[in-house]
Amino acid sequence: MTIASTAVVHATAIVEDGASIGEGARIGAYCVVGPHVVLAKDVTLEAHVVVNGHTTVGARTRIYPFASIGMPPQDLKFNGEVTALEIGEDNQIREHVTMNPGTEGGGGVTRIGDRCLFMVGAHVAHDCMIGSNVVMVNSAGLAGHVQVGDFALLGGHSAIHQFVRIGAHAMVGGMTGVERDVIPAGTVMGNRAHLAGLNLTGLKRRGFPKEEIHTLRAAYRQIFESHDGELVERASALRATLPASGPARDMVDFILAD
């Protein structure tokens, strides 16, 4: 066990041999930290937090009471193999959030980016890949192998089916069940979810230039509102006309990805 000299561990907390606790970390009352856990600089565990498994928590991340982080995946194929959960920096993980490590069949790692907010009761299942600046509202849930792009927002009580991709800057409405991929900057809602347009409000808040938003809207209309040929054919034809970067190109590349 390695506990930095400036770390503060409450007398009622349990930090098992082998854990590594960084400078300035704070571990509150009745927390349990497993033997393979690494807490980076200035990580805060409020009271009653459990962090277990081969879990790494990035600097300045704060985890609130009754969160369960790094416990075995909810997958009947999991047989106790060594897998990992990697959490980035400056994340806020609120009460009753659950996050599971990966499985051997899914690549072995569940990975969380930086500056994300996981509100009360959110769930991140095994082998998920979550970008940075993602928000999961209360009780939003990801099944296994889900990919979530940067700045995506998942509304309260939304449920994402396994192997689904949520593109960057997308918005999933509350109480929405998502069975198919969501394009970057798309908005989906309903049970089951249907594509309801673009998340223009989110793009404007993040300072995307008007020209890029106009190009995206035109591309969206050409792909999703036209009836000429198949969707993939329309996307392929459009890609050759688009700039090499920007939200429209991201949307087309997402659709055409293998």
Side-chain angles (χ1 to χ4, degrees):
M1 174 169 42
T2 303
I3 300 179
S5 59
T6 57
V8 177
V9 180
H10 194 276
T12 62
I14 297 173
V15 179
E16 298 191 42
D17 288 342
S20 177
I21 312 301
E23 296 287 346
R26 292 178 55 251
I27 300 177
Y30 301 103
C31 291
V32 178
V33 179
H36 305 294
V37 171
V38 176
L39 303 182
K41 179 181 178 181
D42 296 325
V43 167
T44 297
L45 308 184
E46 302 290 355
H48 298 278
V49 173
V50 174
V51 184
N52 213 328
H54 288 74
T55 297
T56 302
V57 182
R60 298 171 300 282
T61 289
R62 189 170 188 173
I63 306 179
Y64 286 76
F66 304 105
S68 176
I69 308 300
M71 298 299 285
Q74 299 175 94
D75 185 341
L76 294 176
K77 298 185 297 297
F78 183 74
N79 290 312
E81 60 268 23
V82 175
T83 58
L85 169 62
E86 299 175 358
I87 300 172
E89 299 181 348
D90 298 298
N91 291 292
Q92 298 288 319
I93 301 174
R94 296 304 304 248
E95 295 84 354
H96 298 281
V97 168
T98 53
M99 295 180 176
N100 297 148
T103 62
E104 186 176 32
V109 179
T110 300
R111 184 171 292 118
I112 313 292
D114 303 325
R115 300 175 301 281
C116 298
L117 170 59
F118 300 89
M119 296 189 191
V120 173
H123 173 63
V124 178
H126 59 87
D127 303 297
C128 287
M129 297 290 164
I130 298 180
S132 296
N133 301 292
V134 169
V135 176
M136 291 182 64
V137 181
N138 299 52
S139 299
L142 306 180
H145 313 277
V146 171
Q147 299 178 33
V148 181
D150 295 345
F151 290 100
L153 189 152
L154 280 61
H157 296 273
S158 58
I160 315 302
H161 194 275
Q162 60 190 17
F163 294 102
V164 162
R165 297 178 301 154
I166 307 294
H169 305 283
M171 179 175 177
V172 176
M175 302 289 289
T176 295
V178 181
E179 295 177 317
R180 298 189 178 100
D181 291 348
V182 180
I183 59 171
T187 293
V188 298
M189 60 185 66
N191 186 15
R192 294 299 201 230
H194 64 277
L195 187 61
L198 293 166
N199 185 18
L200 299 178
T201 300
L203 296 180
K204 291 174 182 176
R205 286 175 177 170
R206 291 171 200 124
F208 279 78
K210 288 183 178 179
E211 296 77 12
E212 290 189 356
I213 293 176
H214 290 159
T215 300
L216 173 63
R217 293 179 72 176
Y220 178 90
R221 287 194 293 268
Q222 184 170 336
I223 292 173
F224 293 102
E225 297 178 5
S226 172
H227 301 289
D228 297 331
E230 299 293 331
L231 183 144
V232 171
E233 294 172 350
R234 296 194 295 271
S236 296
L238 180 62
R239 179 155 63 177
T241 70
L242 293 173
S245 62
R249 183 58 180 258
D250 291 343
M251 178 180 69
V252 171
D253 288 346
F254 183 94
I255 292 169
L256 297 176
D258 294 333

